[in-house]
Amino acid sequence: MTAKLKVGIVGGTGMVGQRFVQLLDRHPWFEVTAIAASSSSAGKTYEESVQGRWKLATPIPDSVKRIVVQDASKVEEVAAGVDFIFCAVDMKKSEIQALEEAYAKTGTPVVSNNSAHRWTPDVPMVIPEINPAHLEVIAAQRKRLGTSTGFIAVKPNCSIQSYVPMLHALLDYKPTKVVASTYQAISGAGKNFDDWPEMLDNVIPYIGGEEEKSEQEPLRIWGSVANGEIVKAAAPLITTQCIRVPVTDGHLATVFVSFENKPSKEEILNRWKQFKGRPQELGLPSAPQQFITYFEEENRPQTGLDRDIERGMGVSAGRLREDSLYDYKFVGLSHNTLRGAAGGAVLIAELLKAEGYIQAK
């Protein structure tokens, strides 16, 4: 059996960092050997650093309790003990960009949960089942950064996972216009109900920056690689509203879509059922066996019942029907901190390892 790759989690004390810790416990390919956070947490054991603010229902894994948290700003020290890092920090965009590039320049691959580099032209933003070909821009990025082994790859916004997979399976029919409203869990803000009691019995019709991300990031996912950069797609035209709702986990979307070549309902359902991507072909450890699950029941998918489908790594759809203004409408659902955040990043790392981009130092 080959040795596991050594992983660092930069930003390991926050909610997404905690998800990384949870998901990597007993991972068949990866082992957490370093956790880094702000200077206020540095020097404490991981158990001490998250005392009173562990947000997950499962306990802290024993394997990380006694890891001494390092200062994330001491890049060389953290990088020296790992083969690659996951990054999920709460900092200004410019600071995140500088920090991630500093890690990459040490020769350390960075798989980022942050949004800071999503529009850097030579940084791939990946949903592994949808655009694995974008990884080829890593060669150009490495040349720019002056490293033969380091690079940055990023995960897209959590909300788009609830509708982009379903649309992607139908790209052959050339969708032209999309209207999507997302109903997003409070964990997307890094909070639970203890932190945010104002969300009980409440809906907030605004999430800062979310609508622009939800409208533009799918076009980059569907873009093409040219001259070492990713050029975003020109269509479809997407408009969104993003709403915070009082649920713990799970982003639900209501979607309207028109096509240049309108498919039948049966064709759509068949495309969703049959859709597989590179993770399924490779049998990656975190890959859902069935990426898109369609529910025939009129009242599904439901956030509380269905967000954990395929260990939270699958997406689900329902209520597909023809519409009076658009061709079709449907409902989508994804788990925002698993498929949409830490789990999606772990799947990216598995793909990068399988394709030879991440190796032991």
Side-chain angles (χ1 to χ4, degrees):
M1 178 179 175
T2 57
K4 293 184 181 182
L5 293 176
K6 294 179 288 186
V7 181
I9 305 173
V10 176
T13 59
M15 177 175 274
V16 175
Q18 292 176 21
R19 277 288 189 195
F20 278 123
V21 165
Q22 178 193 57
L23 291 173
L24 294 170
D25 186 38
R26 298 184 179 88
H27 191 281
W29 294 359
F30 307 143
E31 180 181 4
V32 177
T33 58
I35 298 174
S38 65
S39 58
S40 62
S41 294
K44 300 176 183 177
T45 65
Y46 185 69
E47 185 175 31
E48 292 168 341
S49 70
V50 296
Q51 188 173 9
R53 54 194 184 109
W54 180 256
K55 297 179 183 291
L56 306 182
T58 56
I60 304 168
D62 290 335
S63 59
V64 300
K65 283 182 178 179
R66 286 175 289 280
I67 290 179
V68 176
V69 177
Q70 296 175 263
D71 187 335
S73 67
K74 295 182 178 178
V75 172
E76 295 281 352
E77 292 182 16
V78 178
V82 300
D83 295 313
F84 74 97
I85 68 164
F86 291 108
C87 190
V89 294
D90 183 11
M91 298 164 60
K92 294 178 181 177
K93 179 179 178 179
S94 60
E95 295 172 343
I96 295 172
Q97 288 174 330
L99 183 69
E100 292 183 343
E101 287 200 358
Y103 275 100
K105 287 177 179 178
T106 69
T108 305
V110 177
V111 181
S112 178
N113 189 76
N114 305 303
S115 64
H117 275 294
R118 287 181 189 160
W119 289 94
T120 303
D122 58 10
V123 171
M125 179 174 70
V126 181
I127 297 177
E129 286 89 349
I130 292 176
N131 62 329
H134 284 192
L135 297 180
E136 70 182 65
V137 300
I138 287 174
Q141 185 196 148
R142 282 172 166 166
K143 186 175 181 180
R144 174 176 64 86
L145 296 175
T147 174
S148 61
T149 55
F151 62 86
I152 303 162
V154 301
K155 176 205 68 66
N157 192 44
C158 53
S159 67
I160 72 171
Q161 323 274 335
S162 59
Y163 57 92
V164 164
M166 280 69 91
L167 295 174
H168 181 76
L170 307 174
L171 283 188
D172 287 351
Y173 301 107
K174 298 183 179 179
T176 56
K177 294 185 293 183
V178 176
V179 178
S181 293
T182 57
Y183 301 85
Q184 301 185 201
I186 64 173
S187 58
K191 297 181 183 295
N192 57 30
F193 287 116
D194 292 334
D195 303 327
W196 204 359
E198 297 87 353
M199 276 306 303
L200 288 167
D201 193 30
N202 194 23
V203 168
I204 298 176
Y206 173 73
I207 306 172
E210 200 75 1
E211 287 164 4
E212 181 181 5
K213 295 174 186 176
S214 298
E215 293 168 359
Q216 294 300 315
E217 288 187 16
L219 299 178
R220 190 168 198 258
I221 296 261
W222 290 322
S224 57
V225 177
N227 300 316
E229 296 185 352
I230 297 166
V231 180
K232 77 173 186 178
L237 179 65
I238 304 172
T239 185
T240 66
Q241 291 196 99
C242 298
I243 299 166
R244 188 73 72 193
V245 294
V247 298
T248 54
D249 296 303
H251 289 353
L252 184 141
T254 58
V255 184
F256 299 79
V257 56
S258 288
F259 299 91
E260 186 175 315
N261 305 311
K262 182 180 177 181
S264 68
K265 182 177 179 180
E266 291 71 24
E267 287 173 321
I268 293 174
L269 293 176
N270 186 61
R271 287 291 182 96
W272 286 351
K273 182 179 180 180
Q274 299 298 324
F275 184 75
K276 295 183 185 299
R278 191 72 175 136
Q280 287 72 37
E281 293 171 4
L282 293 169
L284 300 180
S286 298
Q289 185 173 353
Q290 182 68 37
F291 185 32
I292 301 172
T293 296
Y294 184 78
F295 287 96
E296 296 286 351
E297 299 93 330
E298 290 184 346
N299 63 348
R300 303 282 287 276
Q302 293 181 25
T303 302
L305 290 178
D306 303 314
R307 61 192 169 204
D308 291 319
I309 197 164
E310 294 275 357
R311 298 165 293 138
M313 291 298 291
V315 298
S316 52
R319 302 203 69 210
L320 176 67
R321 58 225 192 272
E322 294 196 58
D323 183 65
S324 57
L325 291 177
Y326 293 79
D327 287 335
Y328 288 98
K329 52 191 170 186
F330 65 89
V331 173
L333 175 68
S334 63
H335 196 300
N336 58 297
T337 66
L338 291 173
R339 166 55 72 164
V346 171
L347 187 61
I348 292 170
E350 292 170 357
L351 177 64
L352 288 162
K353 177 189 181 299
E355 302 287 19
Y357 289 94
I358 295 178
Q359 300 176 1
K361 286 183 177 177

